[in-house]
Amino acid sequence: MIKLNPCQHILLPTVKGLAKSCPFPLQKKIAMLFLVPVFEEARLDGDLDFLRDRRIGLAISDIDYQATLRLENGHLALAKSTASEAPTDAIIRGNLSAFIQLANRSEDPDSLFFQRRLCIEGDTDLALEVKNLIDAVDLDELPKWLKQTLSLTQLVDKQFA
Amino acid sequence: MELVCPAGSLPALKAAVDNGADAVYIGFKDDTNARHFSGLNFNDRKAQKALDYARDRGAKIFVAINTYAQPKGWARWQRAVDLAAELSVDAVIIADLGLLNYAAQRYPQLPLHLSVQGSCTSAEGLKFYHSELGIRRAVLPRVLSLDQVKMVAEQSPVDLEVFGFGSLCIMAEGRCHLSSYVTDQSPNNSGVCSPAKDVRWTQTEEHLESRLNNVVIDRYQAEETAGYPTLCKGRFAVEETIFHALEEPVSLNTLDLIPDLYAAGIKAIKLEGRQRSPAYVAQVVSVWRSALDSFANNPEKFSSKAEWMQRLAKVSEGSQTTLGAYHRPWQ
Ligand code: SF4
């Protein structure tokens, strides 16, 4: 078990509260703000095609949140995760710290997996494709504001170190 | 010694170059290379970008076309060699004799490296590849002991490259039938030994279970580190004892052997992991760069630092490393 430091004691419930209280359409808008530019190069290269008719879940255990992603008009978009919707084909599960370290590339996903901090359920092939898709995002090509946001996550990451 | 580093994506390539790779090896986006994983590798445009990035910073690019060509797809393997030649990469890494022959005939200027999948473990074999096909370098399989590496190196007509770090493979590479046995696919023909579409992970109350084409490979207790679901690293019941009957999940790490490898005349060290992330590449390459530099600056006083070993163990399978076959006195 990773011990929580004081910052995390505040951070986790706050993020959890925010995620819970944020209505889905707003969540979707915010997600789109990031997803579209981050995966634009992949989309143009046809590297998102494997997601057609598939749904991938990212489950963040410690804040009790699951995001489901699918293609919408060729772009990666947030989909509803409720029970009435189609089930996900694969889920990548982990704590918030693992996802933050993934996003800013401070930890290697396979190592997180060996250490059991990330796990895959369902279609392994699909989950692996998503992992490789994220790995292939060229941060140098992102708009400046996004790069700055990512460097902010590095600050948060330090709280989990 | 040249540091040859893996990249499965452009960001991984940049990480390798930025952290001190002398050369980076990449593969194209199809089954012509032994890391044919979904979403990995380079299309023409990305390969060109990779080349530009590396060249601008004085690093070389090698292209691995190291699976065995199949009659059905022969044109695909030819195309891969054509593309590599068109890009004028610094070398192609090939295992298949027919494909080596094609490259040698068609592009005499294109430097050829014999892939580890070619599984050549003797000086005689190397002489054949050298005289008949003009290879300039060979990558030695990870099954040789240090003494055997020295023996081969003494008589080798070509430069030799050995594995420095990465997932341990215990077979004479190129001759492994374990994954064919379970999944009908092999590294040599399909470029993968645990095809993701055959892998299933299931978390139950007691354990995390991995299956390969429905064959149980391992069950991990809550606190145990996990490994890749390859047959060679699974736990099996042998006469009622369940254990890692072939090999444990572990990574090969030869940092300690840098002086010996150098003394043996080894020209290049290869790091494994084209399927791994840019974060892995950055960490492993930077440790190896520091180690090789520290050796070059003061060969007599070289010893591997605990901090390097820790950083490498962190990204290793099973979080542990081994010298593998290099340290088998009986071999
Ligand atoms: S199954 Fe194991 S021994 Fe065989 S090629 Fe793969 S890693 Fe090597």
Side-chain angles (χ1 to χ4, degrees):
Chain A
M1 246 344 252
I2 299 171
K3 271 216 198 81
L4 296 183
N5 67 26
C7 250
Q8 293 170 26
H9 270 301
I10 305 167
L11 195 67
L12 286 181
T14 316
V15 177
K16 186 170 171 176
L18 278 176
K20 278 257 141 42
S21 56
C22 182
F24 178 75
L26 185 60
Q27 282 184 34
K28 189 170 169 172
K29 279 231 167 67
I30 297 173
M32 207 143 83
L33 218 58
F34 291 92
L35 291 173
V36 171
V38 167
F39 294 105
E40 186 57 8
E41 210 193 358
R43 186 183 71 85
L44 293 174
D45 277 343
D47 285 347
L48 295 182
D49 295 352
F50 71 93
L51 276 166
R52 193 165 297 145
D53 302 326
R54 316 298 303 274
R55 294 163 68 90
I56 175 105
L58 306 178
I60 312 178
S61 315
D62 51 354
I63 58 165
D64 209 2
Y65 177 76
Q66 176 167 330
T68 304
L69 298 173
R70 67 180 178 117
L71 280 192
E72 220 178 86
N73 305 323
H75 291 279
L76 202 56
L78 201 63
K80 275 204 170 121
S81 306
T82 45
S84 57
E85 301 292 319
T88 49
D89 298 284
I91 297 177
I92 303 178
R93 192 182 295 282
N95 281 347
L96 184 63
S97 64
F99 280 102
I100 290 176
Q101 288 172 327
L102 268 191
N104 65 34
R105 299 226 164 114
S106 59
E107 278 288 359
D108 162 56
D110 291 27
S111 304
L112 291 172
F113 181 78
F114 297 150
Q115 296 156 19
R116 309 277 299 273
R117 294 180 53 208
L118 270 188
C119 64
I120 292 173
E121 290 157 32
D123 185 338
T124 314
D125 200 19
L126 180 68
L128 208 65
E129 278 182 296
V130 171
K131 184 206 91 163
N132 290 334
L133 175 74
I134 298 171
D135 277 349
V137 172
D138 190 352
L139 303 184
D140 296 341
E141 301 284 321
L142 297 184
K144 203 163 154 219
W145 68 268
L146 243 177
K147 282 191 220 167
Q148 282 162 348
T149 316
L150 270 176
S151 54
L152 269 182
T153 64
Q154 265 155 23
L155 288 181
V156 182
D157 185 6
K158 292 220 168 60
Q159 302 308 323
F160 290 97
Chain B
M1 286 185 287
E2 188 176 79
L3 186 58
V4 184
C5 306
S9 66
L10 194 58
L13 175 125
K14 290 182 176 179
V17 173
D18 296 350
N19 283 284
D22 297 308
V24 185
Y25 63 104
I26 65 172
F28 294 134
K29 252 183 183 316
D30 56 21
D31 54 355
T32 60
N33 75 89
R35 286 289 183 279
H36 176 42
F37 292 126
S38 327
L40 210 65
N41 295 323
F42 294 73
N43 59 18
D44 317 13
R45 196 174 61 79
K46 288 265 167 70
Q48 183 62 56
K49 269 188 159 183
L51 200 66
D52 294 343
Y53 192 87
R55 290 261 159 90
D56 285 350
R57 290 157 185 81
K60 296 180 193 160
I61 294 280
F62 302 157
V63 174
I65 312 177
N66 54 351
T67 45
Y68 284 79
Q70 301 299 306
K72 266 195 297 195
W74 173 236
R76 210 158 51 244
W77 273 267
Q78 282 177 310
R79 223 176 13 249
V81 172
D82 296 343
L83 179 57
E86 231 168 80
L87 289 164
S88 60
V89 297
D90 298 282
V92 284
I93 309 169
I94 301 182
D96 185 294
L97 269 174
L99 197 65
L100 275 169
N101 188 48
Y102 172 78
Q105 303 285 331
R106 189 78 183 249
Y107 306 103
Q109 303 307 325
L110 183 65
L112 300 180
H113 292 182
L114 179 66
S115 161
V116 69
Q117 302 296 137
S119 202
C120 186
T121 49
S122 71
E124 284 308 314
L126 294 173
K127 283 175 194 159
F128 167 80
Y129 281 107
H130 177 61
S131 64
E132 301 304 311
L133 298 154
I135 63 158
R136 301 196 196 173
R137 181 187 288 187
V139 187
L140 291 183
R142 286 164 269 200
V143 289
L144 297 181
S145 69
L146 191 57
D147 283 339
Q148 290 172 320
V149 169
K150 283 182 193 156
M151 254 161 52
V152 175
E154 258 167 36
Q155 298 176 40
S156 170
V158 297
D159 287 353
L160 294 180
E161 181 173 312
V162 298
F163 273 90
F165 184 83
S167 266
L168 186 67
C169 173
I170 49 167
M171 279 301 156
E173 268 116 325
R175 295 181 197 150
C176 180
H177 290 274
L178 288 176
S179 62
S180 312
Y181 175 68
V182 184
T183 68
D184 244 5
Q185 295 192 51
S186 74
N188 281 348
N189 294 337
S190 315
V192 57
C193 34
S194 47
K197 68 168 182 38
D198 290 321
V199 175
R200 275 290 175 282
W201 293 93
T202 319
Q203 180 71 56
T204 68
E205 291 277 306
E206 302 93 52
H207 51 243
L208 174 69
E209 181 180 271
S210 62
R211 279 174 188 259
L212 190 58
N213 197 16
N214 223 11
V215 174
V216 177
I217 297 292
D218 212 338
R219 288 186 179 132
Y220 304 97
Q221 304 302 316
E223 296 300 322
E224 273 180 328
T225 55
Y228 288 121
T230 50
L231 190 53
C232 61
K233 288 170 185 157
R235 269 182 285 206
F236 305 101
V238 183
E239 291 179 346
E240 281 152 52
T241 319
I242 297 176
F243 69 112
H244 292 106
L246 296 164
E247 180 58 271
E248 291 182 26
V250 62
S251 288
L252 174 77
N253 177 17
T254 64
L255 217 53
D256 282 334
L257 300 182
I258 290 176
D260 301 277
L261 295 170
Y262 180 79
I266 298 301
K267 289 284 161 21
I269 301 278
K270 179 176 222 116
L271 309 182
E272 186 266 357
R274 280 194 292 124
Q275 77 282 21
R276 303 285 293 262
S277 67
Y280 162 91
V281 172
Q283 288 166 24
V284 177
V285 175
S286 78
V287 168
W288 270 84
R289 181 77 273 158
S290 313
L292 287 176
D293 288 350
S294 137
F295 174 70
N297 289 336
N298 199 345
E300 278 82 43
K301 291 244 166 67
F302 178 83
S303 71
S304 38
K305 291 189 187 150
E307 183 232 328
W308 296 338
M309 297 308 238
Q310 274 160 17
R311 279 168 66 196
L312 293 180
K314 221 179 95 197
V315 293
S316 295
E317 253 188 281
S319 304
Q320 53 179 348
T321 64
T322 169
L323 282 169
Y326 286 110
H327 261 204
R328 276 190 201 137
W330 45 266
Q331 199 167 292

